[in-house]
Amino acid sequence: MTLSRRPGPRRSLRLPFVLAVSALLAACGKPAESPAPVRSVRTLVVAETGGQLEREFAGEVRARTESRLGFQVGGKVVRRMVDSGQTVRKGQPLAQLDAQDLRLSQDAARAGVAAAEAQATQAAADLRRFTDLKAQGFISQAQLDRYQAMATAAEASLRQARAQAGVQGNQAAYATLVADAPGVITGVELEPGQVVSPGLPVLTLAHDGPRDVLFHVPEDMGPTLRGLNGRTGGVQVRRWGTSEWVPATVREVAAAADTLTRTYLVKADVAGARGFELGQTATVRLMASVRAQDGVRVPLQALTEREGKSVVWVLDGNSMTVKPVPVVTADVVGNMVLISRGVAPGQELVTAGAHVLSPGQKVRRYEGRIGVSQPAASSAAPAASRS
């Protein structure tokens, strides 16, 4: 007798169970990779000759003339009348020393003048009297000459006493430090009770008038800045928090680089521009020459290392992708590097943002705001930075 097997309820549930497990395993699998982000980069198009590279430096707005004021006499400070940031007028008292000893010296000098006047008066009277006696023949010429010399010496002593009294009077007046010009107090280095010596700077006064923007440039930029010295609009300045660029004139370039930072101090005149406040931060922009002949200078941050080789990232303007190109470098001066081989005219190099790139990555040119781009310039144009 043959028994037939009929499907039971457990077999009928097998298919849904398998489908559920498959869905669960699919959910726990590796998620799909998200596309690489589109990076914003600054670029530079290399020209055959005479190109320019935009450079920006941080600066500070300063007064054209700043005086470091100090007392002409020493003593103990008894009063300070101003604070940092206060506006003062010419001749306004700023600080006061204890002038008791100076006044005593002035009184002594005045007493010396009175004594010298009395001696001079007596010597003049004696000379007149003995002159009459000489006319009557009662004294000799030698005696008259002696009285004449005494009168002359008394007159000289009087002039000396008066000059000394004037000096002591000035010394007493020097106990009060006054502003030599209208302006703003930008530095305070004294407090009541402090004992100061003559000539020690205790206050800094920024004079009203023209304003300069002070900034530092690396050694390789020294010749470029000297070439712009005195040229109207040689650099542009932008105040912090604004987008407006103001033309400025390079007024002064330091003769030697700073011994510690190896940078040159540059002063740019922003006379006539409004809104530049003392101590305000500013950005200075200038155009530096770059060349493809005998090498091209690019910012140091444009150079990266890949597989043990120095490379720069070249942007393909059609596909807006980047690729690493090996280069041979020469000198490094300041924050600029000279590439002697590997870069050709017309290539667009990434000068900022190269450290986060990968081959074939999509990028866009940084135009001051993320998301704003601009078509590439022709390769026949001078080298210009993309900002």
Side-chain angles (χ1 to χ4, degrees), residues 179-262:
D180 58 354
V184 178
I185 300 297
T186 58
V188 176
E189 301 178 19
L190 85 161
E191 296 294 339
Q194 180 179 347
V195 178
V196 298
S197 57
L200 178 68
V202 293
L203 295 173
T204 303
L205 174 64
H207 294 208
D208 288 342
R211 297 286 186 258
D212 287 341
V213 174
L214 275 63
F215 61 102
H216 293 80
V217 299
E219 286 183 292
D220 64 312
M221 297 297 298
T224 301
L225 268 298
R226 291 192 178 90
L228 298 176
N229 199 359
R231 183 184 304 175
T232 303
V235 297
Q236 293 180 314
V237 179
R238 182 182 65 188
R239 294 183 293 116
W240 183 87
T242 65
S243 59
E244 179 185 2
W245 290 97
V246 177
T249 303
V250 176
R251 187 177 63 84
E252 180 181 328
V253 181
D258 184 87
T259 56
L260 296 178
T261 62
R262 306 309 304 170

Side-chain angles (χ1 to χ4, degrees), residues 43-47 296 312-316 323 325-327 342-350 378-379 383-384:
T43 61
L44 164 71
V45 178
V46 180
V296 58
V312 294
W313 291 87
V314 177
L315 172 63
D316 183 351
K323 66 176 181 179
V325 175
V327 294
V343 176
Q347 288 183 322
E348 188 172 359
L349 309 182
V350 176
S378 172
S379 61

Side-chain angles (χ1 to χ4, degrees), residues 315-352:
L315 172 63
D316 183 351
N318 295 325
S319 62
M320 292 303 294
T321 58
V322 292
K323 66 176 181 179
V325 175
V327 294
V328 177
T329 60
D331 294 336
V332 177
V333 181
N335 60 352
M336 298 292 290
V337 59
L338 175 64
I339 298 178
S340 59
R341 290 198 306 272
V343 176
Q347 288 183 322
E348 188 172 359
L349 309 182
V350 176
T351 59

